[in-house]
Amino acid sequence: MTGLRLLLALLLAGVATSVLAQEPLRGVALVIGETDYEQLADLGNPARDARAMDELLGELGFDVSRVLDGDAEELREELAEFVEDAADADVALVYYSGHGVELGGQNYLVPTDTDLSTPASAGQSLVPVDALLAELAKTVPVTIVLLDACRTDAFPAGQVIELPGGAPLPVGGPGLEAVKGPTPVGRADVPADSLGMVIGFAASPGQPALDGDPGGNSPYAAALVKHFAAGGYSLADLMTMVSEEVYLKTRAQQLPWVNSSLRRVLQFGTPVEEAGGDAAQIRDGRRQLLLTIASAPEATRRYVEAVASTEGVPLDALYGMLKVLGVDAADPAQLEAQLKAGAERLNTLMESRTGATISDVELKRLSDLADEAEAEGAIDVALGFREQASARADALELTVDENEANLRADRLQIGATYAEHAITAELNFDYARSAEMWRKAIGQVEGWDETLTAGYSNNLGVVLMERGEHETGTATLEESARALEASLAVFETSDPVNWARAQSNLGNVLHKLGDRENDPSRYLQAAEAHRAALEILTRETRPADWATAQMNLGNALARIGEREQGTETLEAAIEAFHLALEIRTRDTAPLDWAAANDNLGSALSSLAARTGDPELFAEGVAAFRNTLEVRSREAAPLPWALTQRNLGLALKTYGVMTGDLGLLQEGAAAYRAALDVFTPESSPDNFAQTSAILGFALMEIAQLDPTREGLEEARQRFADANAIYGPLSADDDAYFRGRIAEIDTLLGD
């Protein structure tokens, strides 16, 4: 076995990292896999985990010893021999896969012959981890211990263990204690501050580690095998990648944990992997994604997990989209909206995959690489492969007309390639490129496959809707409506479910056109489209789609009702929101539940203002408060602030109607909360609007409880609003100056 090739790099404050040693160092490893237990539940994968780690560490240059299904005597002998062998090594690594237990703040390995007949016999069977760490720390410069333990709550309920020389202790749940590791001492030829220890746990302290699928490896072992040989990364980065890989593969059920006392940067200097090639692009894209995830704020992680759970999409894909946007997005509200929309579209787009047979070898290779990159969450890398595939499709298009016999198959093949490119571009939020590719795909299949053409047209319509929402004017939204109408003409007779979904999409586009044009007729058309969708998407057959259509219908009806004199349409909107909330519960879809409550609160407030019924305001306030129970400032600051402003308006109007000073003061507090997010720099229009309505609320308060402090704040709020609106409109400037003068008179200034 060749010597372990390591780099130990010193981090100097304010100075670039400098490499201290590049000569071959000696590394020894002990790999333990405990599968076949005599009195505890057997584990399926530790033997395979140990063999995989043996092979990996051998390739990295470690001298490896392996123990499979060792009893207590064998484990102690092997550990003692390993400590002796490690005395002459530079790096010692121990990997353990099997049952483990924490007792009295200390961690223990559980041999296969652990005897549970008495508390004393059970205690004598266990092998202490801390003793092993202490022995290695005396002589080895660097110690790495990886504990893939506590797969299940292995011990029988009520089990008591008596450690040698100690009192009996009850066995708690699965999970190990957070080992801190002793300070390494004792090597005279190595400076004390160059020594250190890394202790890796397969799961967070006190949490169980999953055993993995039968016939495979545990999630932790699989992640180690996948990333531990990566060249060019520090050991800290490798452990981070392993942790995030397990987090993704277990859908956030398991997050490994690392305790490190290294004072030097440790790298494996000679990578086992190939440095270049297509596979390396995907592999490196995955690793960069994992490191990006590790730096994501906790609130962002919780939000991504909630979206993945609600929409049933992989965490990998959502974090891939998050990486494309950038974790530190300048506009968190846009990040929230795009990520939520991206998750919803991801499900639809996956259904749109054509599954077409691709006969061209190069197209097949590039398509498979893009699929693999997307599965790894490296959707920016996948876009590059889709670009190459579309370039290949361009080349094929030049020759396809010469082969009339296979023309249809070739056209569909080329169209499918453009469609796959469009999907990946959309996942990267590149709507312009996605729309271009959908148009090219339609151009290929038009006249050859009517159903494909309709499906591609529907997807083009949705992409154009997303793009048009972020543009001025109506041209893109109008093109979206035309594309959706084209798909409806085909789906009406061939595919009722997709016809209904296209109707729902068309209704959303018409709603956006109504907002853009301030045209009430668009809202009427949108409501008609959503009602048509509800004829097919019934509560009994497709409850989730039905709830979405009810929500969309409620939004359109609310817009119509706001412009009418009566109450019938607003009441219908409120009924639609209530129906949606019967499916979109807080437990099953918290983000959708919050959005539905927000819209319900606005509709109730509009109806309350129309009817003068204070109880409706109370219901609206309750709906807004429901929204704020889920929609947090940390995860979605702009939507949170908009809801706070809506809540403030409802409370203020409710308070004026009832003469309740407390409600008015609560409304003012909600406005102030919104202004913590709306600043003159980040959102000047929202800042000015909210400042103005807070000023009005404070004047209402002054009529019931006049104070100099309240009037002075009202004056400042009107001045803040005028600082934005005044330079834009002489009428606004005159109005706010008049309000300020009125307050000055009241103050006697």
Side-chain angles (χ1 to χ4, degrees), residues 35-43 99 110-112 114 116 154-156:
T35 296
D36 189 9
Y37 282 85
E38 295 177 7
Q39 297 184 29
L40 297 175
D42 288 347
L43 296 171
H99 284 308
V110 180
T112 57
T114 297
L116 303 181
F155 290 87

Side-chain angles (χ1 to χ4, degrees), residues 166-184:
L169 296 170
V171 176
L176 295 182
E177 177 66 13
V179 176
K180 294 185 177 180
T183 302

Side-chain angles (χ1 to χ4, degrees), residues 1 18 68 93 127 131 145 192 197-198 233 236 256 312 331 356 513 517 529 559 563 574 612 653 743 745:
M1 185 67 66
S18 61
L68 297 180
L93 187 151
V127 177
V145 178
M197 181 173 291
V198 176
Y233 294 94
D331 187 349
L513 281 168
E517 298 169 339
R559 283 285 196 274
R563 289 162 172 77
I574 291 168
T653 312
I743 294 172
T745 300

Side-chain angles (χ1 to χ4, degrees), residues 250-316:
T250 62
R251 293 186 66 83
Q253 294 181 66
Q254 178 178 333
L255 181 62
W257 185 80
V258 178
N259 186 8
S260 174
S261 64
L262 285 179
R263 296 181 178 87
R264 306 270 175 157
V265 174
L266 178 64
Q267 292 180 321
F268 294 110
T270 304
V272 176
E273 304 166 326
E274 292 184 5
D278 295 327
Q281 284 190 61
I282 298 171
R283 181 193 68 208
D284 294 340
R286 173 71 169 190
R287 288 171 178 165
Q288 289 305 309
L289 173 65
L290 297 174
L291 294 175
T292 300
I293 293 172
S295 65
E298 189 63 20
T300 301
R301 292 170 72 104
R302 297 289 80 81
Y303 178 70
V304 174
E305 292 167 15
V307 171
S309 175
T310 299
E311 300 299 331
V313 296
L315 278 173
D316 311 56

